[in-house]
Amino acid sequence: MFHYRNHGAEYGRVACGFEVAPEQCDEFYANLDKLGFAWWDETDNEASRKFLSPLA
């Protein structure tokens, strides 16, 4: 998943979703940290789960 939003400011907001195997999470998080961008793990976020779930 990728979403970019910019309202004419010097910066924009980006939402990226990645599917990572559980055994690769530590390495993936370490690589995200090396990039220097702020990031959040939304795995347990109920709103995100509902947004990404297929419609019934």
Side-chain angles (χ1 to χ4, degrees), residues 33-52:
D33 288 336
K34 286 179 190 177
L35 291 172
F37 293 109
W39 62 272
W40 294 264
D41 181 355
E42 296 289 353
T43 302
D44 297 323
N45 182 321
E46 184 177 349
S48 293
R49 228 180 6 260
K50 287 182 178 182
F51 176 73
L52 295 172

Side-chain angles (χ1 to χ4, degrees), residues 19-32:
E19 186 173 351
V20 180
E23 65 273 9
Q24 296 177 325
C25 283
D26 289 339
E27 181 180 3
F28 181 72
Y29 295 154
N31 284 317
L32 288 176

Side-chain angles (χ1 to χ4, degrees), residues 1-16 51:
M1 180 191 83
F2 181 85
H3 177 72
Y4 174 75
R5 185 173 184 176
N6 185 343
H7 291 282
E10 292 181 11
Y11 63 91
R13 297 182 182 260
V14 177
C16 296
F51 176 73

